[in-house]
Amino acid sequence: MDHQRLLDTASAILDSAVDEFVAGLGAPSAVEKGVTDFATQVDLDLERRLAAELADRTQIPVHGEEFGGPPVTEGAVWVLDPVDGTYNYSTGVPMAGILLGLLVDGDPVLGLTWLPLLGRRYAAHVDGPLLVDGEPAPALAPLHLKTTAIAYGPFNAAGQGRYPGARRADVIRALSSRVARLRMTGSTGVDMAYTAAGIFGGAIAFGRHAWDNAAGAALVRAAGGVATDLSGAPWTVSSPSLVCAAPGVHEELMAVIGDVVGDEWGADPDVGTTPTANPGGRS
């Protein structure tokens, strides 16, 4: 598998979608998934077109957020989120983008995060380096939690599930006195790309979906950072969450999480299952 050729091809395909993405800013809901979760017509149209072009030009199948696809745990498969940060996008907040990752047997080997409204393109394959707008970026240097900003995924404090909202609130409360700044952008793609580029020292995402997490995990690792789940296990497509950070910061982040929740967020009993679309997910 020629990673650089695939990265170049995928980059050209995403470039072709930039004008359509920008023109669609403010698009209303077209498909309701939950109370505040939805897809716009831009999501639907871009996924159809990008998935078809990727499959045709690379001969690798595509699994998208809106229309699904083949299993993401077996062989080579693209995972695509045509509009990450949909709520932001629909309301005019520019923290939104196109996410594309390539998985091989569940491991991320390529990542692309295009942020057309911010004029930024982040891309990398497993051997690095991170490319920002096509130019190599410096590898991430070790940092300390107290000197950096940490991005935190949005949540409902009353929510339940694997990572209950009340415990997420406990973790963010503990982090608030240990970090330089906390940030909540509303876009997993922005959070992870900014971590790879050294803008954020780290980022925590509570979702498990491949289309949200694969690109960011690949970018951060290519930049010399660490990508795990909330239990500290290396991130794969079956992981229930994503924690990415620069060296040093990741260890300190995991220590804070461990102090607050102990082993409550340990190994996922569902690891090994194929992640599927979740209408209750937030983006």
Side-chain angles (χ1 to χ4, degrees):
M1 182 174 288
D2 187 337
H3 292 145
Q4 188 59 54
R5 180 185 64 80
L6 288 170
L7 193 66
D8 291 343
T9 300
S11 295
I13 291 171
L14 294 195
D15 281 346
S16 74
V18 165
D19 288 346
E20 184 177 348
F21 189 99
V22 172
L25 180 64
S29 169
V31 177
E32 298 292 334
K33 300 180 182 181
V35 177
T36 60
D37 189 35
F38 54 87
T40 70
Q41 192 62 46
V42 178
D43 292 79
L44 305 177
D45 293 345
L46 276 183
E47 183 168 316
R48 287 190 186 99
R49 180 166 73 79
L50 293 177
E53 290 185 29
L54 284 162
D56 179 60
R57 294 181 60 181
T58 69
Q59 300 302 300
I60 296 173
V62 181
H63 187 115
E65 177 177 5
E66 307 306 334
F67 299 107
V72 294
T73 53
E74 303 169 7
V77 59
W78 294 105
V79 285
L80 172 65
D81 187 346
V83 182
D84 175 67
T86 306
Y87 192 88
N88 286 352
Y89 184 74
S90 185
T91 56
V93 177
M95 297 289 192
I98 306 170
L99 310 185
L100 180 66
L102 179 63
L103 299 164
V104 176
D105 294 329
D107 288 319
V109 298
L110 267 76
L112 300 94
T113 296
W114 259 226
L115 306 179
L117 302 171
L118 301 174
R120 284 289 178 266
R121 302 155 67 245
Y122 301 88
H125 58 71
V126 66
D127 298 319
L130 172 70
L131 301 175
V132 180
D133 297 335
E135 297 297 326
L140 293 173
L143 295 171
H144 292 290
L145 198 58
K146 66 182 180 181
T147 64
T148 192
I150 299 297
Y152 206 75
F155 66 96
N156 174 359
Q160 297 302 313
R162 174 167 179 75
Y163 305 114
R167 298 301 269 156
R168 300 189 201 188
D170 291 339
V171 171
I172 201 171
R173 186 178 300 111
L175 285 172
S176 69
S177 62
R178 292 173 168 87
V179 303
R181 293 291 187 274
L182 284 165
R183 294 290 183 258
M184 190 176 289
T185 71
S187 165
T188 300
V190 169
D191 291 348
M192 300 306 164
Y194 278 16
T195 297
I199 298 169
F200 294 151
I204 299 174
F206 295 95
R208 68 177 305 140
H209 299 310
W211 50 81
D212 288 328
N213 295 338
L219 293 177
V220 170
R221 286 176 178 169
V226 183
T228 71
D229 64 17
L230 277 160
S231 74
W235 190 86
T236 72
V237 74
S238 296
S239 298
S241 51
L242 178 60
V243 181
C244 284
V249 175
H250 188 274
E251 291 85 345
E252 294 182 32
L253 263 180
M254 296 308 300
V256 173
I257 293 167
D259 287 346
V260 175
V261 301
D263 60 0
E264 291 177 34
W265 292 353
D268 184 3
D270 295 326
V271 164
T273 62
T274 300
T276 56
N278 177 6
R282 293 188 174 196
S283 62

